[in-house]
Amino acid sequence: MKPPPFDYRAPRTLEEALEDLAEGGKVLAGGQSLIPLLNMRLAAPERLIDINGVASLDALEVTAAGVRAGALARHAAVERSAEAAAVQPLLRQALRHVAHPVIRNRGTVVGSLAHADPAAELPAVLALLDGHVEAASASGRRTVAAADFFTGPLESALRPEELATAAFFPALPPRTGTAFAELARRHGDYALVGAAALVTLDDDLRVRAARAAYLGVADTPVVLDLTGPAVQGQEGRPPGAVDWSAAAAHAVARVNPGGDIHAGADYRRHLVGVLTGRALAEAARNAPPGGT
Amino acid sequence: MFGEPIPRREDPRLLTGQGRYLDDLGRGALAAAFVRSPHAHARIEGIDVDAALDVDGLVAIYTHEDLPPGVGDPLPLLIPHPALTHGRTARPLARDVVRHVGEPVAMVVARDRYLAEDAAERIRVDYEVLPAVVGIENAAAAERLVHEDVPGNVGAHLVQEVGDAPAAVAAAPHRLEFRLDIERSASMPLEGRGVYARWDPDEGSLRVYSSTQTSTGVRMALAARLGLPKTKVEVIAPDVGGGFGVKVVHPWPEEVLVPWAARLLGREVKWTEDRREHFVGAAHERGQVQRVRVGFDDAGRILGLDVTILHDHGAYTPYGIIVPIVTSTQLPGPYKPGAYRVEFTSLYTNTVIVTPYRGAGRPQGVFCMERTMDKIAAHLGLDRAEVRAANFIRPEEFPYDQGLTFQDGRPLIYDSGDYPRMLEMIKELIGWDGFAEEREAARREGRRIGIGLGCYVEGTGVGPYEGGHVEIDSTGRVHVATGLTSQGQGHQTVFAQIAAAELGVPIEDVTVATGDTRRFGYAVGTFASRAAVMSGNAIALACRRVRDKALRIAGEALEADPRDLEITDGVVHVRGDPTAAIPLRTVAVLANPLRYAFDEEARRATQFAVGGSPDEPPVPAGEEPGLEGRDYYSPVRSTFASGMHAAVVETDPETAEIRILRYAVVHDCGRMINPRIVEGQIHGGVAQGVGGALYERMVYDESGQLLNASFMDFLMPYATEVPRIRTGHLETPSPLNPLGIKGAGEAGVIPVSAVIASAVEDAEGIRIDAMPLSPDGLFRLRRRAAVDPALRVERLPA
Ligand SMILES: Cc1cc2nc3c(=O)[nH]c(=O)nc-3n(C[C@H](O)[C@H](O)[C@H](O)COP(=O)(O)OP(=O)(O)OC[C@H]3O[C@@H](n4cnc5c(N)ncnc54)[C@H](O)[C@@H]3O)c2cc1C
């Protein structure tokens, strides 16, 4: 378990990094996914461009509009940021489920998106929030919307010569709550199935919108609008008392997970229902009644 | 001292990263890497190394053809047994056929491991892929063979019988018949295997460091294979990061090849196993299918027990059939099974070899017996604890002969124990009585909880022997050496406790050496919960020799009768007269008559200083110079430890997750040398047991590929998955050895699958007949049980 030979570059500026990348190679960020792939000789890039020395890429900018995590913002830094949690609580809720603390100290939010693992938490978060990724190459910059970013298992819309410089997670809309629920075999493992939920209430505590995004059920995150069945689930009930089972059933009918050695397809589909109910209920509880 | 829970003396070193494990040694050594078979069963058509030759830093590539006789021959069958009629072992490098994914085919030596792997990757091996035999039942069906000359894939077949079990079952008022399945797991030490060899061309001698559980075993095997006199081979086990059984197998292919190459090349060579290699190139265990027929009376007393076991031993049998023998003979546990018949068939498959892993066949046997107890209880509507109590061997019945032959070829006679008392203790610890209300209360909240119980007896301290050497030097320091190895058990602590107590010296003055053939040449190894029993007693006996000698010499110096002397804090003195005293360091000086005074203290022992009779030789007949002693402990047979575990689990009605809420252990390993270390052993064992019960399995596909050969997909429990463990101790001393101790190393792991199965069954009301159990597994069981009443279990009274 030693990597095959590769060239190693350690650029100090973004420009240098983009020039290196134009010559071909792979970006090395936190290395928590890439290094194991190299050691198992499942990846053999001719060149590694280690961006850890590029100043400014670690910025974590929090504004009223949302949270912008630079390419070197570590999972742990985003998880611990009270400002980020205030503007978009789903980030912290989801990051708690990403691996273990030591891996979160090193792994990056943007790296996780670029890696595009179908069982990873952050792609589902970005997809649910309609965020985007900022990409740069020697020939220019562009912004890729979440809906276009994830193209397959471990595949993103990034071009080989592009560096993802930041990811943007929009702020929570008013009267909205979020929640994250997942089931993993052990603490910190990649999830068998996970669900991120977003519920917006109106002044009367009635569900106005309910959406969920799923990981572990398809090659890329699956986002479902569950407003219809959620609204249906509160008919004839007092405010705040929603029967989420219709939404759960709706979700179950719309996913088609595969099976692997850790869990079969039937079980994963079943979990989609359970986690949908749990995440939506918690998101609704988390929605601030009157204010934001 | 003896019996005190002192902290482990090795911990400051190990916990602060000062340990010296195999890969910390031999910085400048050449590195070896191996080309391993990617197929489960294939004929090697040709090996083309050309593309590898221009890798910069390559030193050598070896295939079977390069190996001289002796080195290239099939590896030894370590434990022959008459029932193992078709034992087969692998060659260090495959000659024509490979029989499991991971079998070594070529060895590469290069300047470093990176380059060695680069070269290994470029070696092309042509294979004709042959059909693979995977899975116990496919092996038994024998439509394909693993070894052409082994009909039916049967390596061994053994029946042991006490009484006429089929007849007893047939005549019993109640009968049950069922099948149980246990999947594969593995020792999985955090440090893999590893070998580092240095050849000294001037001395013609070989020094080998190996991450092994038996340095003396490796030494004998290497001397034999490489044609070296034993005196020219030194084998040292440095700090070893866990063994759990896998490292007692020897010599591994790599363990032969690395020293051989070091001698051939005249260079230091090292190989450190990586995790992927460990999954496919080392050993696994567990893996059985059991068919049980049991007959019992109205009280749940077993009248006849008839068990048929299919055991998967993988592609080769270098360690013989110890695992199924242990399963068969330890299956009865603390019970009197009435008439007992056990038959096992040990089968070849195209998978990694199966050799003992902590518990060594007992977890399977205990799973069988304890599932049987629960099923009897359910059938009769009795309390599960009561059914067990009805079958216990009574305290007054020891020594109790089970009528079987144990793994050491000796009769299976339990020496001591108190099972009824232990049952009371475990019920108390877990809250057995009153649990029915607790379960009902939980149910009213929509929660499912269940309680489970499991009992076992463990034969520990198998022979043939271990030895100890103890020397007190002229500074008063005590040097203890024993030949067996340490893998982190705490030998530096417990052996020092024994020596300090026996000699009457402060423990700070005692150092302990293990696993180094330079220090002690005769030993067996550390496995089978034997180190404390075997070396502990040998060291105690050696200490007693040294003590006797010290008292004799001190008696002369003090002009006192040795019988009136005692040793406290390293000083020999006349009982009741602290002024008539001589420190042990001075006794050590006097014990070695000298011609030369190399320091002040030594003057006392020179020829003009010591008096003595001019007609006696300075070293009297029958004596040896030096204050040292050596002795061996060789037991007639094993001593039997026992224990009972209980757990309360909660299952999620929606997700089918299984959570352990409480876990309790009562354990009897005779007199405890150090209760803290005993608890540590239990905790580690329970952690591995939780792995076996809920997480670990080896997922082979039908072509013999191991699909989860990494820590990403082979799920060992993290600390977060292991429950808090409440422990109670019971001490029934063993009458078989001077210290009255029994082994404690494997205990913790043994009943865990049985206990968790029992508790989940109680929570769910669904039969649990296969382990491990995942949430998905439970989810599928629920679906099946919903339509199949035969899978449902009547709710048991506690
Ligand atoms: C034991 C373990 C458990 C884990 N469990 C989880 C889990 O539960 N959930 C989870 O989501 N993740 C998990 N991970 C993965 C972890 O979160 C990784 O850190 C993350 O997926 C990748 O981030 P990184 O910064 O380490 O990226 P790297 O490993 O450095 O890179 C990963 C890939 O992304 C590319 N890349 C990285 N950054 C950029 C960039 N800025 N621009 C372009 N390409 C880029 C690299 O070229 C590479 O192909 C686990 C990892 C380990 C080791």
Side-chain angles (χ1 to χ4, degrees), chain A residues 26-27 29-34 75 97-99 103 107-108 110-112 114-115 120-121 163-164 188-190:
Chain A
K26 274 250 165 229
V27 174
Q32 299 302 297
S33 298
L34 184 53
H75 294 314
H97 295 276
V98 175
I103 290 163
T108 63
V110 173
S112 184
H115 191 57
E121 288 80 3
L163 177 75
D189 281 352
Y190 276 107

PDB file of all heavy atoms in Angstrom, chain A residues 26-27 29-34 75 97-99 103 107-108 110-112 114-115 120-121 163-164 188-190, ligand 1:
ATOM      1  N   LYS A  26      -3.600  16.072 -10.251  1.00  0.00           N
ATOM      2  CA  LYS A  26      -4.738  16.057  -9.319  1.00  0.00           C
ATOM      3  C   LYS A  26      -4.476  17.019  -8.178  1.00  0.00           C
ATOM      4  O   LYS A  26      -3.352  17.116  -7.685  1.00  0.00           O
ATOM      5  CB  LYS A  26      -4.900  14.655  -8.727  1.00  0.00           C
ATOM      6  CG  LYS A  26      -5.723  13.718  -9.561  1.00  0.00           C
ATOM      7  CD  LYS A  26      -7.060  13.453  -8.866  1.00  0.00           C
ATOM      8  CE  LYS A  26      -8.064  12.824  -9.812  1.00  0.00           C
ATOM      9  NZ  LYS A  26      -9.355  13.513  -9.784  1.00  0.00           N
ATOM     10  N   VAL A  27      -5.529  17.667  -7.743  1.00  0.00           N
ATOM     11  CA  VAL A  27      -5.434  18.554  -6.586  1.00  0.00           C
ATOM     12  C   VAL A  27      -5.353  17.711  -5.314  1.00  0.00           C
ATOM     13  O   VAL A  27      -6.112  16.752  -5.145  1.00  0.00           O
ATOM     14  CB  VAL A  27      -6.673  19.469  -6.508  1.00  0.00           C
ATOM     15  CG1 VAL A  27      -6.657  20.292  -5.220  1.00  0.00           C
ATOM     16  CG2 VAL A  27      -6.736  20.369  -7.734  1.00  0.00           C
ATOM     17  N   ALA A  29      -5.996  18.241  -1.500  1.00  0.00           N
ATOM     18  CA  ALA A  29      -6.494  19.165  -0.464  1.00  0.00           C
ATOM     19  C   ALA A  29      -6.233  18.516   0.891  1.00  0.00           C
ATOM     20  O   ALA A  29      -5.085  18.368   1.295  1.00  0.00           O
ATOM     21  CB  ALA A  29      -7.961  19.466  -0.707  1.00  0.00           C
ATOM     22  N   GLY A  30      -7.284  18.045   1.598  1.00  0.00           N
ATOM     23  CA  GLY A  30      -7.072  17.405   2.901  1.00  0.00           C
ATOM     24  C   GLY A  30      -6.436  16.027   2.777  1.00  0.00           C
ATOM     25  O   GLY A  30      -5.907  15.487   3.736  1.00  0.00           O
ATOM     26  N   GLY A  31      -6.537  15.445   1.595  1.00  0.00           N
ATOM     27  CA  GLY A  31      -5.902  14.148   1.347  1.00  0.00           C
ATOM     28  C   GLY A  31      -6.606  12.959   1.987  1.00  0.00           C
ATOM     29  O   GLY A  31      -6.132  11.832   1.874  1.00  0.00           O
ATOM     30  N   GLN A  32      -7.729  13.192   2.627  1.00  0.00           N
ATOM     31  CA  GLN A  32      -8.376  12.098   3.368  1.00  0.00           C
ATOM     32  C   GLN A  32      -9.054  11.090   2.447  1.00  0.00           C
ATOM     33  O   GLN A  32      -9.327   9.967   2.842  1.00  0.00           O
ATOM     34  CB  GLN A  32      -9.392  12.661   4.368  1.00  0.00           C
ATOM     35  CG  GLN A  32      -8.767  13.557   5.406  1.00  0.00           C
ATOM     36  CD  GLN A  32      -7.679  12.842   6.194  1.00  0.00           C
ATOM     37  OE1 GLN A  32      -7.937  11.871   6.886  1.00  0.00           O
ATOM     38  NE2 GLN A  32      -6.450  13.301   6.057  1.00  0.00           N
ATOM     39  N   SER A  33      -9.317  11.483   1.231  1.00  0.00           N
ATOM     40  CA  SER A  33      -9.843  10.535   0.247  1.00  0.00           C
ATOM     41  C   SER A  33      -8.784  10.198  -0.793  1.00  0.00           C
ATOM     42  O   SER A  33      -8.664   9.050  -1.207  1.00  0.00           O
ATOM     43  CB  SER A  33     -11.075  11.130  -0.456  1.00  0.00           C
ATOM     44  OG  SER A  33     -12.087  11.363   0.483  1.00  0.00           O
ATOM     45  N   LEU A  34      -8.017  11.183  -1.191  1.00  0.00           N
ATOM     46  CA  LEU A  34      -7.049  10.962  -2.270  1.00  0.00           C
ATOM     47  C   LEU A  34      -5.889  10.065  -1.842  1.00  0.00           C
ATOM     48  O   LEU A  34      -5.476   9.180  -2.590  1.00  0.00           O
ATOM     49  CB  LEU A  34      -6.528  12.321  -2.770  1.00  0.00           C
ATOM     50  CG  LEU A  34      -5.572  12.275  -3.973  1.00  0.00           C
ATOM     51  CD1 LEU A  34      -6.170  11.492  -5.138  1.00  0.00           C
ATOM     52  CD2 LEU A  34      -5.215  13.683  -4.423  1.00  0.00           C
ATOM     53  N   HIS A  75     -13.400  20.711   7.335  1.00  0.00           N
ATOM     54  CA  HIS A  75     -14.702  20.326   7.903  1.00  0.00           C
ATOM     55  C   HIS A  75     -14.839  20.873   9.323  1.00  0.00           C
ATOM     56  O   HIS A  75     -15.873  21.418   9.699  1.00  0.00           O
ATOM     57  CB  HIS A  75     -14.821  18.797   8.000  1.00  0.00           C
ATOM     58  CG  HIS A  75     -14.854  18.078   6.684  1.00  0.00           C
ATOM     59  ND1 HIS A  75     -15.629  18.464   5.628  1.00  0.00           N
ATOM     60  CD2 HIS A  75     -14.217  16.943   6.291  1.00  0.00           C
ATOM     61  CE1 HIS A  75     -15.462  17.602   4.621  1.00  0.00           C
ATOM     62  NE2 HIS A  75     -14.610  16.673   4.998  1.00  0.00           N
ATOM     63  N   HIS A  97     -21.784  14.318  11.077  1.00  0.00           N
ATOM     64  CA  HIS A  97     -21.841  12.931  10.601  1.00  0.00           C
ATOM     65  C   HIS A  97     -20.704  12.594   9.646  1.00  0.00           C
ATOM     66  O   HIS A  97     -20.598  11.462   9.190  1.00  0.00           O
ATOM     67  CB  HIS A  97     -23.171  12.676   9.891  1.00  0.00           C
ATOM     68  CG  HIS A  97     -24.356  12.768  10.796  1.00  0.00           C
ATOM     69  ND1 HIS A  97     -24.773  11.711  11.567  1.00  0.00           N
ATOM     70  CD2 HIS A  97     -25.190  13.790  11.066  1.00  0.00           C
ATOM     71  CE1 HIS A  97     -25.840  12.081  12.262  1.00  0.00           C
ATOM     72  NE2 HIS A  97     -26.114  13.339  11.985  1.00  0.00           N
ATOM     73  N   VAL A  98     -19.880  13.587   9.308  1.00  0.00           N
ATOM     74  CA  VAL A  98     -18.793  13.327   8.363  1.00  0.00           C
ATOM     75  C   VAL A  98     -17.605  12.727   9.126  1.00  0.00           C
ATOM     76  O   VAL A  98     -16.973  13.390   9.939  1.00  0.00           O
ATOM     77  CB  VAL A  98     -18.355  14.621   7.648  1.00  0.00           C
ATOM     78  CG1 VAL A  98     -17.137  14.352   6.760  1.00  0.00           C
ATOM     79  CG2 VAL A  98     -19.498  15.192   6.828  1.00  0.00           C
ATOM     80  N   ALA A  99     -17.331  11.474   8.872  1.00  0.00           N
ATOM     81  CA  ALA A  99     -16.137  10.816   9.410  1.00  0.00           C
ATOM     82  C   ALA A  99     -15.959  11.060  10.914  1.00  0.00           C
ATOM     83  O   ALA A  99     -16.928  11.193  11.658  1.00  0.00           O
ATOM     84  CB  ALA A  99     -14.902  11.257   8.635  1.00  0.00           C
ATOM     85  N   ILE A 103     -10.336  13.227  11.165  1.00  0.00           N
ATOM     86  CA  ILE A 103     -10.437  13.356   9.703  1.00  0.00           C
ATOM     87  C   ILE A 103     -11.056  14.708   9.353  1.00  0.00           C
ATOM     88  O   ILE A 103     -10.661  15.355   8.388  1.00  0.00           O
ATOM     89  CB  ILE A 103     -11.245  12.168   9.136  1.00  0.00           C
ATOM     90  CG1 ILE A 103     -10.405  10.904   9.280  1.00  0.00           C
ATOM     91  CG2 ILE A 103     -11.639  12.407   7.688  1.00  0.00           C
ATOM     92  CD1 ILE A 103     -11.173   9.631   9.153  1.00  0.00           C
ATOM     93  N   GLY A 107      -9.751  17.046   6.450  1.00  0.00           N
ATOM     94  CA  GLY A 107     -10.565  17.025   5.236  1.00  0.00           C
ATOM     95  C   GLY A 107     -11.260  18.364   5.016  1.00  0.00           C
ATOM     96  O   GLY A 107     -11.544  19.102   5.958  1.00  0.00           O
ATOM     97  N   THR A 108     -11.507  18.684   3.738  1.00  0.00           N
ATOM     98  CA  THR A 108     -12.093  19.977   3.412  1.00  0.00           C
ATOM     99  C   THR A 108     -13.510  19.814   2.881  1.00  0.00           C
ATOM    100  O   THR A 108     -13.858  18.793   2.282  1.00  0.00           O
ATOM    101  CB  THR A 108     -11.254  20.684   2.333  1.00  0.00           C
ATOM    102  OG1 THR A 108     -11.276  19.901   1.128  1.00  0.00           O
ATOM    103  CG2 THR A 108      -9.807  20.869   2.787  1.00  0.00           C
ATOM    104  N   VAL A 110     -14.809  21.657   0.446  1.00  0.00           N
ATOM    105  CA  VAL A 110     -14.778  21.700  -1.016  1.00  0.00           C
ATOM    106  C   VAL A 110     -14.241  20.387  -1.581  1.00  0.00           C
ATOM    107  O   VAL A 110     -14.752  19.860  -2.576  1.00  0.00           O
ATOM    108  CB  VAL A 110     -13.939  22.908  -1.498  1.00  0.00           C
ATOM    109  CG1 VAL A 110     -13.749  22.868  -3.011  1.00  0.00           C
ATOM    110  CG2 VAL A 110     -14.621  24.211  -1.088  1.00  0.00           C
ATOM    111  N   GLY A 111     -13.234  19.823  -0.906  1.00  0.00           N
ATOM    112  CA  GLY A 111     -12.694  18.539  -1.346  1.00  0.00           C
ATOM    113  C   GLY A 111     -13.761  17.465  -1.333  1.00  0.00           C
ATOM    114  O   GLY A 111     -13.838  16.617  -2.222  1.00  0.00           O
ATOM    115  N   SER A 112     -14.601  17.521  -0.336  1.00  0.00           N
ATOM    116  CA  SER A 112     -15.675  16.550  -0.228  1.00  0.00           C
ATOM    117  C   SER A 112     -16.655  16.691  -1.395  1.00  0.00           C
ATOM    118  O   SER A 112     -17.114  15.688  -1.950  1.00  0.00           O
ATOM    119  CB  SER A 112     -16.383  16.763   1.111  1.00  0.00           C
ATOM    120  OG  SER A 112     -17.348  15.799   1.291  1.00  0.00           O
ATOM    121  N   ALA A 114     -15.868  18.042  -4.365  1.00  0.00           N
ATOM    122  CA  ALA A 114     -15.139  17.673  -5.584  1.00  0.00           C
ATOM    123  C   ALA A 114     -15.024  16.160  -5.706  1.00  0.00           C
ATOM    124  O   ALA A 114     -15.090  15.605  -6.793  1.00  0.00           O
ATOM    125  CB  ALA A 114     -13.748  18.297  -5.564  1.00  0.00           C
ATOM    126  N   HIS A 115     -14.889  15.511  -4.563  1.00  0.00           N
ATOM    127  CA  HIS A 115     -14.745  14.055  -4.555  1.00  0.00           C
ATOM    128  C   HIS A 115     -16.064  13.376  -4.947  1.00  0.00           C
ATOM    129  O   HIS A 115     -16.071  12.306  -5.539  1.00  0.00           O
ATOM    130  CB  HIS A 115     -14.281  13.611  -3.165  1.00  0.00           C
ATOM    131  CG  HIS A 115     -13.855  12.191  -3.103  1.00  0.00           C
ATOM    132  ND1 HIS A 115     -12.858  11.671  -3.892  1.00  0.00           N
ATOM    133  CD2 HIS A 115     -14.297  11.147  -2.337  1.00  0.00           C
ATOM    134  CE1 HIS A 115     -12.699  10.379  -3.626  1.00  0.00           C
ATOM    135  NE2 HIS A 115     -13.564  10.042  -2.686  1.00  0.00           N
ATOM    136  N   ALA A 120     -21.580  10.628   0.590  1.00  0.00           N
ATOM    137  CA  ALA A 120     -21.086  11.747   1.398  1.00  0.00           C
ATOM    138  C   ALA A 120     -22.219  12.705   1.736  1.00  0.00           C
ATOM    139  O   ALA A 120     -23.194  12.839   0.991  1.00  0.00           O
ATOM    140  CB  ALA A 120     -19.976  12.472   0.662  1.00  0.00           C
ATOM    141  N   GLU A 121     -22.070  13.381   2.864  1.00  0.00           N
ATOM    142  CA  GLU A 121     -23.132  14.252   3.384  1.00  0.00           C
ATOM    143  C   GLU A 121     -23.207  15.584   2.640  1.00  0.00           C
ATOM    144  O   GLU A 121     -24.286  16.077   2.328  1.00  0.00           O
ATOM    145  CB  GLU A 121     -22.888  14.531   4.874  1.00  0.00           C
ATOM    146  CG  GLU A 121     -23.150  13.348   5.801  1.00  0.00           C
ATOM    147  CD  GLU A 121     -22.022  12.333   5.843  1.00  0.00           C
ATOM    148  OE1 GLU A 121     -20.973  12.566   5.188  1.00  0.00           O
ATOM    149  OE2 GLU A 121     -22.187  11.299   6.507  1.00  0.00           O
ATOM    150  N   LEU A 163      -9.731  24.155 -10.658  1.00  0.00           N
ATOM    151  CA  LEU A 163      -9.670  24.065  -9.200  1.00  0.00           C
ATOM    152  C   LEU A 163     -10.990  24.609  -8.665  1.00  0.00           C
ATOM    153  O   LEU A 163     -11.446  25.670  -9.108  1.00  0.00           O
ATOM    154  CB  LEU A 163      -8.505  24.908  -8.688  1.00  0.00           C
ATOM    155  CG  LEU A 163      -8.329  24.990  -7.175  1.00  0.00           C
ATOM    156  CD1 LEU A 163      -7.745  23.688  -6.639  1.00  0.00           C
ATOM    157  CD2 LEU A 163      -7.418  26.147  -6.790  1.00  0.00           C
ATOM    158  N   ALA A 164     -11.591  23.883  -7.748  1.00  0.00           N
ATOM    159  CA  ALA A 164     -12.770  24.433  -7.081  1.00  0.00           C
ATOM    160  C   ALA A 164     -12.241  25.369  -6.002  1.00  0.00           C
ATOM    161  O   ALA A 164     -11.587  24.918  -5.059  1.00  0.00           O
ATOM    162  CB  ALA A 164     -13.608  23.321  -6.485  1.00  0.00           C
ATOM    163  N   GLY A 188     -19.421   7.636  12.476  1.00  0.00           N
ATOM    164  CA  GLY A 188     -18.425   8.242  11.601  1.00  0.00           C
ATOM    165  C   GLY A 188     -18.259   7.571  10.263  1.00  0.00           C
ATOM    166  O   GLY A 188     -17.549   8.083   9.410  1.00  0.00           O
ATOM    167  N   ASP A 189     -18.887   6.415  10.067  1.00  0.00           N
ATOM    168  CA  ASP A 189     -18.789   5.773   8.760  1.00  0.00           C
ATOM    169  C   ASP A 189     -19.614   6.535   7.733  1.00  0.00           C
ATOM    170  O   ASP A 189     -20.558   7.250   8.077  1.00  0.00           O
ATOM    171  CB  ASP A 189     -19.332   4.335   8.826  1.00  0.00           C
ATOM    172  CG  ASP A 189     -18.326   3.378   9.438  1.00  0.00           C
ATOM    173  OD1 ASP A 189     -17.181   3.786   9.662  1.00  0.00           O
ATOM    174  OD2 ASP A 189     -18.709   2.215   9.690  1.00  0.00           O
ATOM    175  N   TYR A 190     -19.264   6.324   6.477  1.00  0.00           N
ATOM    176  CA  TYR A 190     -20.144   6.806   5.423  1.00  0.00           C
ATOM    177  C   TYR A 190     -21.533   6.214   5.666  1.00  0.00           C
ATOM    178  O   TYR A 190     -21.664   5.061   6.089  1.00  0.00           O
ATOM    179  CB  TYR A 190     -19.648   6.340   4.048  1.00  0.00           C
ATOM    180  CG  TYR A 190     -18.591   7.230   3.452  1.00  0.00           C
ATOM    181  CD1 TYR A 190     -17.267   6.830   3.390  1.00  0.00           C
ATOM    182  CD2 TYR A 190     -18.937   8.476   2.936  1.00  0.00           C
ATOM    183  CE1 TYR A 190     -16.293   7.652   2.823  1.00  0.00           C
ATOM    184  CE2 TYR A 190     -17.975   9.304   2.372  1.00  0.00           C
ATOM    185  CZ  TYR A 190     -16.650   8.885   2.317  1.00  0.00           C
ATOM    186  OH  TYR A 190     -15.715   9.695   1.757  1.00  0.00           O
TER     187      TYR A 190
HETATM  188  C1  LIG C   1     -11.989   6.900   7.666  1.00  0.00           C
HETATM  189  C2  LIG C   1     -12.672   7.950   6.825  1.00  0.00           C
HETATM  190  C3  LIG C   1     -14.008   8.135   6.953  1.00  0.00           C
HETATM  191  C4  LIG C   1     -14.660   9.086   6.181  1.00  0.00           C
HETATM  192  N1  LIG C   1     -15.987   9.233   6.347  1.00  0.00           N
HETATM  193  C5  LIG C   1     -16.629  10.179   5.627  1.00  0.00           C
HETATM  194  C6  LIG C   1     -18.026  10.406   5.777  1.00  0.00           C
HETATM  195  O1  LIG C   1     -18.682   9.777   6.606  1.00  0.00           O
HETATM  196  N2  LIG C   1     -18.610  11.323   4.999  1.00  0.00           N
HETATM  197  C7  LIG C   1     -17.902  12.065   4.088  1.00  0.00           C
HETATM  198  O2  LIG C   1     -18.475  12.894   3.407  1.00  0.00           O
HETATM  199  N3  LIG C   1     -16.588  11.895   3.931  1.00  0.00           N
HETATM  200  C8  LIG C   1     -15.931  10.980   4.674  1.00  0.00           C
HETATM  201  N4  LIG C   1     -14.585  10.812   4.496  1.00  0.00           N
HETATM  202  C9  LIG C   1     -13.917  11.606   3.470  1.00  0.00           C
HETATM  203  C10 LIG C   1     -13.494  12.949   4.012  1.00  0.00           C
HETATM  204  O3  LIG C   1     -14.598  13.712   4.320  1.00  0.00           O
HETATM  205  C11 LIG C   1     -12.642  13.630   2.953  1.00  0.00           C
HETATM  206  O4  LIG C   1     -11.938  14.569   3.626  1.00  0.00           O
HETATM  207  C12 LIG C   1     -13.364  14.333   1.803  1.00  0.00           C
HETATM  208  O5  LIG C   1     -14.178  13.482   1.103  1.00  0.00           O
HETATM  209  C13 LIG C   1     -12.366  14.874   0.783  1.00  0.00           C
HETATM  210  O6  LIG C   1     -11.795  15.998   1.282  1.00  0.00           O
HETATM  211  P1  LIG C   1     -10.248  16.203   1.265  1.00  0.00           P
HETATM  212  O7  LIG C   1     -10.011  17.625   1.517  1.00  0.00           O
HETATM  213  O8  LIG C   1      -9.624  15.244   2.184  1.00  0.00           O
HETATM  214  O9  LIG C   1      -9.873  15.887  -0.280  1.00  0.00           O
HETATM  215  P2  LIG C   1      -8.678  15.077  -0.967  1.00  0.00           P
HETATM  216  O10 LIG C   1      -8.608  13.716  -0.411  1.00  0.00           O
HETATM  217  O11 LIG C   1      -7.456  15.912  -0.885  1.00  0.00           O
HETATM  218  O12 LIG C   1      -9.205  15.045  -2.416  1.00  0.00           O
HETATM  219  C14 LIG C   1     -10.301  14.268  -2.802  1.00  0.00           C
HETATM  220  C15 LIG C   1     -10.562  14.434  -4.300  1.00  0.00           C
HETATM  221  O13 LIG C   1     -11.068  15.720  -4.553  1.00  0.00           O
HETATM  222  C16 LIG C   1     -10.197  16.452  -5.382  1.00  0.00           C
HETATM  223  N5  LIG C   1     -10.147  17.809  -4.860  1.00  0.00           N
HETATM  224  C17 LIG C   1      -9.999  18.169  -3.572  1.00  0.00           C
HETATM  225  N6  LIG C   1     -10.052  19.501  -3.455  1.00  0.00           N
HETATM  226  C18 LIG C   1     -10.241  19.997  -4.678  1.00  0.00           C
HETATM  227  C19 LIG C   1     -10.393  21.296  -5.188  1.00  0.00           C
HETATM  228  N7  LIG C   1     -10.368  22.349  -4.368  1.00  0.00           N
HETATM  229  N8  LIG C   1     -10.570  21.438  -6.504  1.00  0.00           N
HETATM  230  C20 LIG C   1     -10.601  20.374  -7.327  1.00  0.00           C
HETATM  231  N9  LIG C   1     -10.487  19.116  -6.896  1.00  0.00           N
HETATM  232  C21 LIG C   1     -10.303  18.929  -5.590  1.00  0.00           C
HETATM  233  C22 LIG C   1      -8.879  15.738  -5.330  1.00  0.00           C
HETATM  234  O14 LIG C   1      -8.133  15.940  -6.509  1.00  0.00           O
HETATM  235  C23 LIG C   1      -9.321  14.310  -5.148  1.00  0.00           C
HETATM  236  O15 LIG C   1      -9.673  13.749  -6.381  1.00  0.00           O
HETATM  237  C24 LIG C   1     -13.926   9.878   5.250  1.00  0.00           C
HETATM  238  C25 LIG C   1     -12.550   9.694   5.131  1.00  0.00           C
HETATM  239  C26 LIG C   1     -11.916   8.744   5.901  1.00  0.00           C
HETATM  240  C27 LIG C   1     -10.441   8.581   5.751  1.00  0.00           C
END
